[in-house]
Amino acid sequence: MAVPTPHGGPAGPASPSVPPGLAELLRAQLEAVADEVEDEVRRQVPEYAGPADGMYARNLRAGVVQALTLFVDHIADPRRRSDAIASTYYELGRGVALEDRSLDALQSALRIGGMHAWRLMGRTAEELGLDSAVVAALGELAFRTVHEVAEAAAAGYAEGRLRSTDELERRRRRLLELLLGEGPVSLEAVQDLAHGARWSVPRQVAVVALAACPDQREEERPLAAAGALVDMESRPPRMLVPDPDSGRFGGRAFTLALRGRPAAIGPTVPLTEAAQSLRWAARALGLMGRGILPRQGVVRCADHLSTLLLHGDEPLLAQLETRALAPLETASEGQRARLAETLLAWLLSGSNVPDVAARLHIHPQTVRYRLRQLEKLFGDALHGPGTRLDLILALRAEELRADQETPSTQGIPPGSPQLKKS
């Protein structure tokens, strides 16, 4: 991994008044100074005050020694750059990011350790009787050293954060693929993947199918931050919502997060049955595209279960319609529509003529006239329980199709899943 060249700190060689021989004298004291610096950092930075065999403690000693070595090397040769030491701090910063920790502790250790090391080495310089110009030059080198290792750590941290985010996204994508795959889902496997993906395993979930749109990643950020597993690259784009009935993903906030994109929310199911929720959400999204369900906004499958059931097997539904409504085919087109409307209202109102008249806004006598025509067409079958159920299903499907809007450029954007008409 290439380490960026430090910038923004002291540039060029230090003052020539720094005796190069001082480097060897300070190098002889390096271990003793490292001991004191390490103790000072442990005392002032809580993260480094843990057990000596802890992760922070193991990195602390090596980091202190390498930073002091870099300082002494700058004295011996001010033009020298130590990429090996910079790489060490680069990796330290990168490791902090990959462990999803803050860079604050490392930065504090660098600042405190650098100041303490300078006090110790500066005192040595004064004891040797070096003039103030040399001490000032040493101070400049100390600042340069701290700047170099701090910038290397910051660069490593930035790269690690990017890697950490990408890896976390990959793990969550794998988890989503497992939950929405076709095969059986093992809760143990889910829990293992969820741990690596830093995702809390819920008891229940719902899957949302979204209409495709050009800026499809815009919705991902707030929803993923709230705990949803999001895949905007699939067709249709989808997201798995944890504990959907808890309120986090309900109401206006959820709709606003979608930025007006049409979406269908599948039924709430146990976690291991998420694929079933996706199947019905995708089915609902297709029916939205055809106008059978509302084209715009967020459609909740739980509010349209009978419609989804009717269109769960459309070829079979077409067979039911053909068989159950065959007697109506002998009527004229206009008469057929009126008879079908009256028949469905009659069946749904419990054969109550006044209710049918009120529902259709017609005179009760008109209802009775149409019912006599229907009895001639259907005969005794009109009163059989099995026939009545078939008629309700067939007429309801026909009514939904009649309410369907004419396809246009409005509504669900191009690319949304569309289902063929039966």
Side-chain angles (χ1 to χ4, degrees), residues 20 81 85 176 224 232 328 349 386:
R81 285 183 61 237
I85 293 174
L176 185 60
M232 291 296 182
L328 289 176
S349 65

Side-chain angles (χ1 to χ4, degrees), residues 197-280:
R198 299 176 196 156
W199 189 69
S200 298
V201 178
R203 293 180 61 247
Q204 294 184 311
V205 296
V207 179
V208 182
L210 301 140
C213 75
D215 300 325
Q216 60 184 24
R217 293 188 66 86
E218 289 302 314
E219 298 86 350
E220 181 171 350
R221 298 182 184 92
L223 295 168
L229 298 178
V230 184
D231 182 4
M232 291 296 182
E233 305 301 321
S234 63
R235 289 294 177 268
R238 60 199 185 181
M239 64 180 69
L240 184 142
V241 174
D243 295 320
D245 301 326
S246 65
R248 281 186 300 165
F249 296 91
R252 182 172 174 77
F254 181 77
T255 303
L256 288 175
L258 295 179
R259 298 172 179 263
R261 178 189 291 200
I265 304 179
T268 298
V269 296
L271 177 64
T272 55
E273 298 176 16
Q276 294 289 345
S277 186
L278 171 62
R279 184 165 67 91
W280 288 111

Side-chain angles (χ1 to χ4, degrees), residues 174-186:
R174 285 176 54 203
L175 176 59
L176 185 60
E177 289 172 355
L178 171 65
L179 289 168
L180 301 183
E182 295 182 359
V185 178
S186 162

Side-chain angles (χ1 to χ4, degrees), residues 276-292:
Q276 294 289 345
S277 186
L278 171 62
R279 184 165 67 91
W280 288 111
R283 169 70 65 176
L285 190 66
L287 295 178
M288 291 171 68
R290 295 165 54 189
I292 292 174

